[in-house]
Structure formats: structure tokens, C-alpha cells
Amino acid sequence: MKTINRFFVVLAIALLLSNTSTIAQEQTRPEFVTITTMHWNMDNKDFKMEDWKAVEKEFLDKITMKNEYIAASSFYLHRMTPDNTEVVYVQSYPSWEAIGEAAKRNAELAKTAWPDENARKAFFKKRDAYYSPMHSDEIYATMPNAKTMTAKPTKDMICYVRKGHFAYGEGADEEFDATSKEYFDNVTNKNEFVKAYYPMAHAWGSDRTEFLEAFFFDSMADLESMFDRDTELFEAHWKDEASRKSMGEKGAKYFDNRHGDYIYTYVAGLAK
């Protein structure tokens, strides 16, 4: 049942991206998310985590918090991923145009924060020294049925990311919309271990089949407890084997069999 249940956590949201009328109605939700995967500069022999946090906090306070085009931002550190050098930086925007405007606004705010050019260059040189020159960027479109954080976290959290892939085959949007909403309302949204849940789908990047689900937890223990609780909620709503099988057959049309799992630490003090 855990395998079936995890499949339906994937099923719950993904193809709702195609329902543009639904997206247009949700004006309060940012439209796009940029995910920049950076890497630590492993040659930085003077690295201290608290010093890095202080530098990024200064940038957050002087630039990001004052940039009206950036709806939110956050940092994520490797916990259980294939690459321990990863530093993931996530920003969300109210529109596609805001992505470009945010970059221009950052440059303006930097000049205001450090009017002296030498001081400004010194700060960014210090900031850049923490990272390798190599990084990658992806842009995702946000999707309906997110479970949003009730309050800004005051401590680090666990962020579990599930990366899946669409199978562009048969299936009707109406069927998927109804099925996915039913699952979200009765399982994901009711699971008390899941403090927040954000689904998003590829908008610009290397793989158009890609979609992500980001789950937030207070602890690793709560992440593990989510699976058992999902099963309980799933069986409470779909009470017989026939109805569970029917859900599985509907959902199988929309996805291929690939997925990846990643666990990060959300850095509470560096978030907008």
C-alpha cells in the first residue's frame, strides 16, 4: 500500500498545470519559481557556516527583502542527495516578466546598499568566494492545490523533494482534475505531518516532462511518519479494494515510471 500511496502523492497535482483558467483565478500564488543549483567552493579553506550565513543574510536584508519583484526566496543544503556540494537557491515571482525585472532591481539595490564601488565589489567578491563557478538554473510553473506554510519557519526544516515525469499519452484533463483534487483534499491536505506542500512543473529548462513536489517537515521522523499516515488517510477515503484499484488505473495514464528523491535542509534564517 505504501507504493500505491506514494504514487498518488505524485498523482495529486501534476497535470493541473494544463488548466490555465484555474491558474489565472489564483492571483495570490506566484506564477514561476527559479531553482539555482550552486556548489560550494571546495578550495575555500577558510569556510565557516556561520560566516556564510552572515554574508547571505546581509544580501537578503539589503537586496532581496527590498526587491518587490521577488515574492519569496530560500536556501536549501544537501542532506540526502547525490552531491554533497549542492547549495540550492529558490526564488518565486508573480509573473514571467518579474524574473527579468528582479535582476535589474537587484543591481539598483546593490548600488544603494554599497554606494562606494570598491566596497560593493569587495562584498560580492566575498560572497562569490563561497561558491564554485559552476551552477545550473531551471524555471518551474507553480500549480494549484498547494498546502502553504501557515507561518514563516523560525527553525530549520526538512524539505523532501520528489522529481517525477509526465507521460504524454491518453487521459482527459477533466478526469485528472477531479481525481487529483479528491486525493489532495482527502490525503495530502489532511496529513498533519506535512507542514507545507508545493507542486510545480517544468516551464523552462532541460526536460519538459519534469515536475517537482516539495514537502516540508519539522523532522526526519515526521517525514517517515508521513508514509504511514498517507496510507491511513487513503484507506479511510477509498474504503474498498475496487475503488483503490480504479484510482490506480486512472493515475497510471499520466506518468511514466521514473522518479527521484532528494532531502534538503531548509535554512530558516535565510528566507524571504
Side-chain angles (χ1 to χ4, degrees):
M1 181 54 66
K2 283 188 180 181
T3 300
I4 294 175
N5 219 24
R6 290 306 307 137
F7 173 79
F8 278 103
V9 173
V10 174
L11 169 65
I13 306 297
L15 293 185
L16 285 176
L17 179 62
S18 62
N19 189 342
T20 55
S21 62
T22 301
I23 291 175
Q25 292 169 9
E26 296 190 11
Q27 298 298 324
T28 59
R29 188 180 80 245
E31 277 196 65
F32 295 100
V33 173
T34 61
I35 298 182
T36 300
T37 301
M38 304 179 291
H39 300 272
W40 294 121
N41 175 9
M42 303 306 287
D43 295 325
N44 185 347
K45 305 302 181 184
D46 298 324
F47 176 84
K48 294 180 181 178
M49 183 61 71
E50 291 307 312
D51 291 344
W52 169 73
K53 288 182 178 180
V55 169
E56 287 298 350
K57 183 66 164 59
E58 184 175 0
F59 184 88
L60 173 69
D61 292 342
K62 293 181 177 180
I63 306 293
T64 308
M65 293 298 292
K66 296 180 180 180
N67 192 325
E68 63 272 26
Y69 297 104
I70 300 173
S73 70
S74 48
F75 275 97
Y76 301 83
L77 305 181
H78 155 87
R79 193 177 185 99
M80 291 184 184
T81 72
D83 187 348
N84 71 313
T85 72
E86 282 185 337
V87 185
V88 180
Y89 185 46
V90 178
Q91 297 182 95
S92 61
Y93 304 87
S95 67
W96 186 268
E97 293 75 19
I99 298 174
E101 293 299 327
K104 297 177 186 177
R105 185 66 175 134
N106 275 354
E108 295 171 354
L109 290 166
K111 291 181 179 180
T112 301
W114 298 277
D116 179 78
E117 184 176 359
N118 290 331
R120 187 165 64 251
K121 287 182 177 179
F123 174 81
F124 283 100
K125 182 179 180 179
K126 180 171 64 173
R127 183 175 184 243
D128 291 344
Y130 288 101
Y131 306 108
S132 162
M134 297 184 64
H135 74 272
S136 62
D137 298 287
E138 301 282 343
I139 303 176
Y140 295 90
T142 63
M143 303 169 76
N145 288 356
K147 183 176 183 178
T148 58
M149 201 79 68
T150 56
K152 185 176 179 179
T154 58
K155 63 179 183 178
D156 292 355
M157 298 187 74
I158 298 299
C159 178
Y160 163 55
V161 176
R162 182 179 174 97
K163 182 184 293 186
H165 298 270
F166 299 134
Y168 290 98
E170 298 180 0
D173 290 347
E174 294 80 6
E175 176 189 68
F176 185 86
D177 291 353
T179 304
S180 59
K181 187 177 188 307
E182 184 178 8
Y183 181 87
F184 175 80
D185 289 345
N186 291 284
V187 180
T188 307
N189 203 36
K190 289 183 177 180
N191 192 323
E192 63 272 23
F193 295 106
V194 180
K195 301 307 178 185
Y197 168 69
Y198 300 98
M200 60 195 82
H202 164 273
W204 186 271
S206 58
D207 186 350
R208 80 182 184 95
T209 72
E210 192 175 87
F211 74 97
L212 300 183
E213 298 173 288
F215 300 78
F216 288 79
F217 304 90
D218 285 333
S219 67
M220 288 292 293
D222 284 356
L223 167 57
E224 180 62 26
S225 296
M226 173 190 70
F227 298 106
D228 289 334
R229 183 62 174 141
D230 275 356
T231 299
E232 294 171 359
L233 291 165
F234 182 81
E235 293 179 348
H237 184 70
W238 288 276
K239 300 182 184 300
D240 59 84
E241 193 61 34
S243 61
R244 296 167 197 159
K245 182 179 179 181
S246 176
M247 281 287 289
E249 290 174 348
K250 292 177 183 178
K253 294 182 289 188
Y254 295 97
F255 306 96
D256 66 23
N257 293 321
R258 297 173 295 153
H259 81 270
D261 300 288
Y262 310 82
I263 301 177
Y264 298 94
T265 298
Y266 163 89
V267 185
L270 297 181
K272 178 177 182 179

